Amino acid sequence: MTDELFTIRDARADDKPVLDAYANAEGMDAIPDIEGVRVAVNGDDEVVGFIRIALDEEDGTAFVNPVITHETWRGYGVGRALMDEALARHGELRLVSRGGSLPFYEALGYERIGWDLIKMALVDDCDHCELRDECGPVPMRKRLD
């Protein structure tokens, strides 16, 4: 047990069912594996949020896909901490904001970019999604200066 509200660590294999449940609760498919996944955990080592970073095989660009905070932990800085830590590790993050998450990313200083800067697999996911109009996807990025 720790005095901190939450800490961040690498995901472990036994975290995967929780990660998949969180993704499913947000209307997403299960994550393919735990590679590139960091989790925020409470003092009892229970996952309260996670971020998955997918690296572009050609140029190493880091893409957030996805970042999710359990609904009872929203407002405690979990998502911000996960994003900030990933940005510090990679120097630049790109992502596609969906639905109501745009204000979150804008508050963190992310800027809108063109679809040409987003990995083709993510573009294809959006192009073929039947909820695209409802979701309103927006490509974004932030770089450390």
Side-chain angles (χ1 to χ4, degrees):
M1 184 105 164
T2 177
D3 291 336
E4 296 175 318
L5 192 56
F6 62 90
T7 56
I8 298 174
R9 63 166 170 76
D10 287 330
R12 300 185 303 239
D14 62 333
D15 295 324
K16 185 140 180 353
V18 173
L19 306 179
D20 290 343
Y22 286 9
N24 292 155
E26 295 298 320
M28 300 175 196
D29 293 332
I31 62 169
D33 54 49
I34 62 168
E35 182 179 345
V37 177
R38 301 273 290 161
V39 296
V41 295
N42 66 14
D44 293 325
D45 202 40
E46 298 167 331
V47 175
V48 298
F50 75 93
I51 189 169
R52 178 175 172 263
I53 301 295
L55 297 178
D56 186 302
E57 294 176 7
E58 293 178 18
D59 65 8
T61 302
F63 290 88
V64 176
N65 189 16
V67 59
I68 298 175
T69 301
H70 187 273
E71 64 184 346
T72 61
W73 278 81
R74 292 181 187 151
Y76 292 96
V78 173
R80 174 181 291 273
L82 289 165
M83 294 292 292
D84 288 350
E85 193 227 27
L87 182 61
R89 283 184 301 132
H90 297 283
E92 178 183 0
L93 294 177
R94 296 183 192 176
L95 58 95
V96 176
S97 172
R98 38 173 263 167
S101 61
L102 186 60
F104 168 73
Y105 296 116
E106 289 177 334
L108 295 180
Y110 283 74
E111 63 182 0
R112 294 173 188 232
I113 58 174
W115 282 101
D116 59 316
L117 296 177
I118 299 297
K119 194 164 133 176
M120 280 309 297
L122 296 176
V123 173
D124 288 344
D125 284 350
C126 288
D127 285 347
H128 296 98
C129 180
E130 59 191 45
L131 300 175
R132 183 183 173 110
D133 291 339
E134 179 184 326
C135 173
V138 176
M140 306 186 86
R141 81 168 166 202
K142 184 173 182 179
R143 292 188 257 186
L144 287 178
D145 295 322

